[in-house]
């Protein structure tokens, strides 16, 4: 689609669901006019800078802050011990591996006696300017008693060094799902083919374009409350958690997330700096602000991924998968943040992918290490699961010398429109996996690519062509409270929305979602324009301010449209129902005789006698004496919506790479993504989400690694060393889609925020391995950097000097 | 990412810059495009107490034909090199490489003199100037002197410039119609080279390496082998001779040595191909 040709509203200013629309929030952002947290002018604000641990594991013997205290412009210097009295509770864990017991260490916003990762806060300086605070930070001297660091999760398992004395072990939990163990064992015993692979999900930095920023402001009117600005994905939940941990009563705290420049899950969190700014504003009775350095962001923010995956497949002689067995080792980092222990568990039931697998077993052990905590990062558990199963399925295809498209076709769960209970008892909503594969193969020119590959191989070229397929199914729409609780959720997250008709016929929508790049202002206005038949430009969407918006738990897990957007759709229905009662009353007709089209009610067959809903809104507000007996004035409604089920998007991605045998360089020459996110509200936003997700997954596959040395020192905290791909590193994407509506919500949508990041990494690595198969290569670890690929080729040559050139 | 405090002097002439350097000695640093110095300062890896800004000396931004040579003002920005007609005709490798450095923002700010004076082994321009056998012109309190490129890069981020000297001009012999190649091996378009190779075949063959040691270096063994009639493939095998390549996340020394060999071979083949194609 050419975005320059996207039409706007029709002649009446109406837009429809499904219509491509440019995002209304983009122009101020692109012009540089949009304000982010650190741009918000706060007169009299003090600046906080945080001194962070330079050791991965150490006891704090003493901290000398004398020189810093007398440094010019410094207002206060605090250590963890100085602030111990500020905290009334610990940040809770919101998804636990139920029912397995979770061993979780105590931790606070700032270390007191011990540090457990490089980057953990140990002291803060508050000064009149940021530069003064940064200068004073250098004057603080911390005397550490350095302890041996636990950097790898395998090492953590040995308990050679136990990080948290009070736990007595580094193991946080072991969680198992075994569906009829005897059937798994029997399947492996009877298998015609088996595959056994180990995969490493390297740690990734979320690296949002806007780093975090916080500003805590005491109520300038003297009401005793606080306003906290934060670059967060969860204004309301942040308020609740800060109330519980810093002790500011929840009703006295207003949290505002202004424009937020990306999060990818990293801002789905309660961070030390939020607690610190709030506590210091309370203590110093002045606004306190902080902004994260880019290089600070790599150590002070959660990391993504961090797993070691052992996966085994059993298959019969036709290539039908008969069992999947997985052992997962999760690297939680130094302690549990909100969702840390739950991330491996969320992915757990998805290790059979989109395949009909009769026997399944997974064991997840998660451990603490002396690295920053891991937590939700675009896909949160599902990219990891998809990677393992899609690599293993390719391994099975190679084992059987079968086309990787064919092996998938043979194993897909058959189409279903209204529910499929998986082997893990997960109630998939709707799915039809083969058409997405077919479309992807078609768009990629798969047959032609295989011919080119064969020709290339025959020519003896050192530039190897590889084609990689990945099919996926994932879970979105986090909300259904009963299912969340059954899955280990320690909180509920429903959708909320309020629609208020103003007397002039304009509409204000408030929503519980917290957009940070998703385009909700456009999408929510689009839903209202379509449902109520009012001009798109007449709908204002407000959000992300706890004083304005209804409680919305968080924006993440691709949940907004299918939960918060669905709540808005339900609210629109309520508004229409009330307006219809009023219209029937004014038209002296029966409600059943009325129809509602493009924003007007009329008696069926009598289009000339029409009452526009905007006029009814005016009547309901200012001519309330005309309302039927018992009807409340104003045309407004609100909804808190708890959906019946999750949603389960799916699709197939195909990567085409060229690998330079001499240098190990991988060039991504083509990428096809066919995603089914159910009904599409706005195809422009769907494409944008897919593009971003693809680059993120390609980043994990080829570029990104949060590297640490053996002592737990970060080797890639800056963007010079942590390689986030740009547009120059990826080809122009070829996108397709199929549409399988979800029965889980009234919009029939599934969610598309993470799909791109889920299918892309395994597609790319499958392509790299496919390219190098003639050289005897069977696996390449992520990121497939040139050096890694080159070494893998050298190792394969050494292992099999006469590797046959036999294609796959 | 907040630099330590510093004083700022805006120089209105080279003489003013040199006298500021003379006055403040080692505590002063020249600021040109700022794309090497400012990041170091923000990370507090460099904390000069005085910055002498020469970025406004527009009279040091030029590309001049001086007969056998092209003279380039030290404060000429990469973008101006990239689009310069004179360079495209007589020293196309310089225009081409200028267009490969960093991203458009960097190319519109960064200067050739700033890059050379910084002396980073991972930068592109030093290798090009080495391969071309250029000459650098410096001005100090005792006047002007010229330094052959081969003698300019002394150690890690260290050049032959004295603390009170300023690089003012780069003189490069014309290579009109010569075969040339620049191989920049990197993972992303905006990155520094993991290994880079500049090759110019113009009667003699000049080959220089990027990021293969603590300084920008000549691949002298390769040059000698070619001069004594070795094939390209044989000469390329000597690419890493005498080098002590660094180790980082992208490459360890063994891989860098391997890359140097592959890239020198490709550079020489491309340089030959270019000559052949022109004939």
């Amino acid at each position: 689609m050419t975005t320059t040709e996207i039409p706007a509203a029709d002649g009446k200013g109406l837009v429809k669901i499904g219509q491509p629309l440019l995002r209304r929030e983009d122009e101020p952002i692109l012009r540089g006019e949009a304000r982010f947290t650190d741009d918000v002018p706060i007169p009299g604000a003090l600046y906080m800078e945080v001194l962070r641990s330079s050791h991965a594991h150490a006891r704090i013997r003493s901290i000398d802050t004398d020189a810093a205290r007398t440094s010019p412009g410094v207002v206060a210097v605090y250590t963890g011990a100085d602030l111990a009295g500020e905290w009334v509770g610990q940040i809770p864990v919101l998804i636990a591996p139920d029912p397995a017991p979770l061993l979780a260490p105590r931790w606070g916003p700032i270390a007191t006696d011990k540090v457990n990762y490089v980057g953990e806060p140990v002291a803060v300086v508050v000064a009149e300017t940021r530069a003064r605070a940064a200068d004073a930070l250098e004057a603080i001297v911390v005397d550490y008693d350095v302890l041996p660091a636990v950097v790898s999760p395998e090492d953590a398992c040995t308990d050679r060094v136990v990080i948290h004395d009070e736990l007595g072990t580094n193991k946080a939990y072991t969680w198992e799902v075994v569906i009829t163990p005897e059937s798994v064992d029997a399947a492996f015993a009877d298998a015609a083919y088996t595959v056994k692979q180990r995969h490493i999900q390297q740690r990734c930095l979320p690296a949002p374009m806007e780093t975090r920023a916080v500003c805590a402001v005491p109520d300038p009117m003297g009401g005793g409350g606080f306003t906290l600005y934060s670059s967060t994905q969860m204004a309301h939940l942040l308020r609740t958690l800060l109330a519980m941990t810093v002790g500011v009563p929840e009703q006295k705290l207003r949290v505002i997330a202004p424009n937020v420049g990306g999060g990818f899950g990293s801002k789905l969190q309660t961070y030390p700096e939020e607690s610190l700014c709030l506590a210091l504003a309370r203590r110093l009775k002045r606004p306190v602000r902080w902004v994260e350095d880019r290089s600070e962001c790599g150590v002070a923010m959660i990391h993504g991924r961090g797993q070691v995956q052992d996966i085994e497949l059993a298959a019969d002689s036709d290539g039908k998968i008969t069992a999947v067995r997985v052992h997962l080792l999760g690297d939680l980092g130094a302690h549990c943040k909100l969702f840390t222990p739950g991330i491996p568990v969320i992915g757990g039931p998805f290790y059979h992918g989109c395949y009909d697998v009769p026997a399944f077993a997974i064991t997840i052990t998660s451990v603490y290490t002396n690295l920053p905590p891991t937590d939700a990062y675009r896909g949160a558990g599902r990219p990891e699961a998809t990677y393992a199963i899609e690599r293993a399925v390719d391994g099975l295809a190679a084992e059987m010398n079968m086309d990787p498209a064919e092996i998938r076709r043979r194993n897909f769960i058959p189409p279903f429109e209204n529910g499929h209970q998986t082997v893990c008892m997960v109630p998939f909503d709707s799915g039809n996996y083969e058409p997405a594969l077919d479309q992807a193969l078609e768009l990629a020119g798969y047959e032609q690519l295989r011919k080119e590959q064969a020709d290339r191989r025959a020519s003896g070229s050192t530039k190897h062509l590889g084609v990689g397929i990945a099919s996926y199914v994932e879970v979105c729409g986090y909300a259904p409270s009963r299912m969340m609780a059954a899955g280990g959720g320690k909180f509920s997250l429903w959708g909320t929305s309020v629609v208020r008709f103003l007397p002039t016929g304009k509409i204000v929508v408030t929503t519980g979602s917290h957009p940070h790049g998703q385009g909700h202002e456009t999408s929510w206005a689009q839903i209202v324009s379509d449902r109520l038949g009012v001009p798109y430009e007449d709908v204002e969407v407000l959000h992300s301010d706890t004083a304005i918006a209804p409680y919305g738990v968080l924006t993440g897990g691709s949940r907004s449209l299918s939960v918060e957007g669905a709540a808005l759709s339900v609210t629109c229905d309520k508004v229409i129902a009330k307006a219809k009662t009023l219209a029937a009353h004014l038209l002296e007709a029966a409600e059943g005789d009325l129809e509602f089209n493009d924003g007007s009610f009329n008696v069926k067959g009598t289009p000339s006698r029409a009452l526009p809903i905007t006029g009814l809104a005016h009547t309901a507000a200012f001519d309330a004496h005309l309302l039927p007996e018992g009807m409340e004035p104003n045309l407004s409604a609100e909804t808190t919506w708890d959906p019946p089920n999750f949603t389960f998007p799916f699709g197939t991605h195909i990567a085409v790479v060229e690998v330079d045998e001499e240098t190990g360089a991988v060039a991504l020459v083509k990428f096809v993504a066919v995603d089914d996110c159910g009904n599409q509200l706005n195809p422009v936003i769907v494409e944008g989400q897919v593009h971003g997700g693809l680059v993120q997954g390609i980043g994990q596959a080829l570029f990104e690694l949060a590297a640490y040395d053996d002592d737990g020192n970060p080797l890639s905290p800056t963007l010079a060393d942590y390689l986030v791909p740009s547009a120059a590193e990826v080809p122009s994407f070829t996108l397709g889609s199929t549409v399988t509506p979800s029965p889980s919500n009234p919009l029939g949508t599934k969610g598309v925020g993470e799909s791109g990041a889920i299918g892309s990494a395994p597609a790319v690595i499958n392509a790299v391995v496919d390219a190098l198969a003639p050289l005897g290569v069977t696996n390449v670890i992520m990121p497939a950097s040139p050096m890694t690929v080159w070494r893998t080729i050298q190792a394969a040559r050494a292992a099999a000097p006469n590797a046959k050139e036999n294609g796959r | 990412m907040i630099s330590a405090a510093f004083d700022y002097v805006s120089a209105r002439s080279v003489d003013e810059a040199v006298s500021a350097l003379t006055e403040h000695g080692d505590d002063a640093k020249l600021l040109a495009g700022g794309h090497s110095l400012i990041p170091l300062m923000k990370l507090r890896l460099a904390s000069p107490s005085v910055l002498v800004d020469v970025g406004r000396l527009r009279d040091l931004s030029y590309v001049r034909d001086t007969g056998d040579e092209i003279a380039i003002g030290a404060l000429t920005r990469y973008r101006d090199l990239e689009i310069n007609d004179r360079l495209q005709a007589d020293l196309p490798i310089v225009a081409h490489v200028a267009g490969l450095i960093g991203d458009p923002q960097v190319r519109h700010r960064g200067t050739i003199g700033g890059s050379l004076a910084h002396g980073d082994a991972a930068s592109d321009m030093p290798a090009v100037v080495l391969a071309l056998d250029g000459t650098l012109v410096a001005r100090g309190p005792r006047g002007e002197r010229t330094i052959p490129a081969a003698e300019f890069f002394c150690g890690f981020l260290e050049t032959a410039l004295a603390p009170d000297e300023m690089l003012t001009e780069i003189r490069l012999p014309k290579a009109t119609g010569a075969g040339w190649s620049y191989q920049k091996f990197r993972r992303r378009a905006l990155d520094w080279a993991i290994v880079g190779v500049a090759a110019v075949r113009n009667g003699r063959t000049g080959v220089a390496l990027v990021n293969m040691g603590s300084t920008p270096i000549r691949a002298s063994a390769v040059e000698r082998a070619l001069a004594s009639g070795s094939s390209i493939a044989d000469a390329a095998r000597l690419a890493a001779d005498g080098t002590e390549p660094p180790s980082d996340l992208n490459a360890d020394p063994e891989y860098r040595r391997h890359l140097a060999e592959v890239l020198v071979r490709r550079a020489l083949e491309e340089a030959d191909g270019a000559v052949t194609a022109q004939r």
Side-chain angles (χ1 to χ4, degrees), chain A residues 173-187:
Chain A
Y173 64 86
T174 295
W175 182 83
E176 275 186 306
V177 171
V178 181
I179 310 297
T180 55
E182 58 286 354
S183 66
V184 175
D185 293 343

Side-chain angles (χ1 to χ4, degrees), chain A residues 205-210 212 231-233 260-268 271 301-302 376-378 515-518 555 696:
Chain A
L205 305 183
M209 196 176 284
E210 183 207 14
R212 289 185 297 125
S231 178
T232 182
Q233 297 175 227
V260 174
F264 314 116
S266 69
K267 295 173 181 173
L268 217 55
Y271 279 105
M301 186 175 263
I302 60 103
Y377 171 58
R378 206 167 193 167
H516 45 282
Q518 294 86 349
T555 286
Q696 222 148 358

Side-chain angles (χ1 to χ4, degrees), chain A residues 80-88 246 282-283:
Chain A
D82 298 333
L83 297 176
E86 301 288 342
W87 324 121
V88 300
V246 183
R282 177 172 63 186
R283 195 159 171 149

Side-chain angles (χ1 to χ4, degrees), chain B residues 93-211:
Chain B
I93 187 172
V94 175
H96 174 73
V97 172
L100 295 178
I101 295 168
D103 53 30
Q105 288 93 324
V106 169
R107 296 197 286 273
H108 278 86
R109 293 294 303 166
T111 65
I112 184 171
S115 169
L116 294 168
H118 187 55
D120 191 337
S123 293
D124 302 290
M125 272 304 166
V128 173
V129 172
L130 274 176
L132 286 166
D133 253 335
T135 305
L136 296 102
V137 182
R139 180 102 63 88
R142 290 160 300 281
E144 198 170 270
R145 67 172 176 134
T146 57
I147 309 163
E151 294 166 21
F152 188 74
F153 304 104
C154 309
F156 179 68
L157 301 184
E158 209 183 307
T159 68
L161 290 171
D164 55 4
E165 276 184 318
M166 175 176 163
L167 177 64
T168 54
E169 188 176 272
I170 297 93
R171 295 176 186 161
L172 302 171
K174 284 184 186 170
T176 321
W180 62 273
S181 173
Y182 190 75
Q183 300 286 323
K184 183 171 186 176
F185 188 79
R186 61 211 197 282
R187 291 173 69 185
R188 299 179 303 174
L190 58 67
D191 286 329
W192 281 281
I194 296 171
V195 173
V197 175
V200 180
R201 307 201 78 172
N202 189 20
R204 61 168 279 283
T205 300
V207 182
L209 305 174
V210 179
N211 221 356

Side-chain angles (χ1 to χ4, degrees), chain B residues 6-266:
Chain B
F6 57 86
D7 287 330
Y8 173 88
V9 179
S10 179
R12 281 165 300 182
S13 67
V14 174
D15 287 343
E16 258 190 41
V18 168
S19 64
L21 291 177
T22 310
E23 184 187 341
H24 299 288
D26 275 347
D27 293 338
K29 283 294 257 180
L30 291 180
L31 175 70
H35 275 66
S36 301
L37 181 58
I38 300 288
L40 289 177
M41 289 174 65
K42 288 173 100 175
L43 292 167
R44 298 202 173 196
L45 295 173
S47 300
S49 53
V50 182
L51 275 192
V52 181
D53 186 356
V54 293
R56 291 159 205 228
L57 302 182
R58 299 313 301 158
D59 52 342
L60 283 191
S61 172
Y62 55 81
V63 175
R64 284 183 199 138
D65 187 340
T66 61
D68 292 341
E69 290 184 324
I70 300 285
I72 301 174
L75 289 167
T76 313
R77 300 189 196 279
Y78 297 129
R79 177 65 181 162
D80 295 326
L81 300 175
E82 185 184 349
I83 58 173
N84 185 277
D85 293 341
R86 190 78 271 141
L87 288 174
Q88 282 170 3
D90 293 328
L91 279 171
I93 187 172
V94 175
H96 174 73
V97 172
L100 295 178
I101 295 168
D103 53 30
Q105 288 93 324
V106 169
R107 296 197 286 273
H108 278 86
R109 293 294 303 166
T111 65
I112 184 171
S115 169
L116 294 168
H118 187 55
D120 191 337
S123 293
D124 302 290
M125 272 304 166
V128 173
V129 172
L130 274 176
L132 286 166
D133 253 335
T135 305
L136 296 102
V137 182
R139 180 102 63 88
R142 290 160 300 281
E144 198 170 270
R145 67 172 176 134
T146 57
I147 309 163
E151 294 166 21
F152 188 74
F153 304 104
C154 309
F156 179 68
L157 301 184
E158 209 183 307
T159 68
L161 290 171
D164 55 4
E165 276 184 318
M166 175 176 163
L167 177 64
T168 54
E169 188 176 272
I170 297 93
R171 295 176 186 161
L172 302 171
K174 284 184 186 170
T176 321
W180 62 273
S181 173
Y182 190 75
Q183 300 286 323
K184 183 171 186 176
F185 188 79
R186 61 211 197 282
R187 291 173 69 185
R188 299 179 303 174
L190 58 67
D191 286 329
W192 281 281
I194 296 171
V195 173
V197 175
V200 180
R201 307 201 78 172
N202 189 20
R204 61 168 279 283
T205 300
V207 182
L209 305 174
V210 179
N211 221 356
M212 281 296 287
S214 55
T215 66
I217 45 175
R218 294 282 282 262
S220 307
V222 175
E223 292 177 352
R224 279 194 302 271
L226 289 169
S228 60
S230 290
S231 71
I232 283 176
D234 287 343
R237 282 192 197 97
L238 304 172
D241 256 30
T243 63
E244 287 179 35
S247 188
D248 54 35
L249 289 174
N250 288 322
D252 59 18
E254 184 194 7
Y255 179 57
R256 276 206 163 84
R257 287 192 193 98
H258 168 76
L259 281 179
E261 181 185 329
V262 173
L263 298 175
V264 164
R265 194 196 75 225
R266 288 181 181 178

Side-chain angles (χ1 to χ4, degrees), chain A residues 191-195 313-322 392-404 406-408 410-411 806 808:
Chain A
Y193 298 96
T194 59
V195 173
L313 299 190
D316 68 17
S317 56
D318 293 329
K320 184 85 185 65
I321 301 167
T322 51
V393 166
D394 254 33
L396 177 60
E399 188 80 9
M400 299 181 65
N401 207 13
M402 185 184 281
D403 188 285
E406 175 60 23
I407 196 98
R408 287 172 169 81
R410 288 190 187 187
N411 284 285
N806 64 344
R808 254 182 341 274

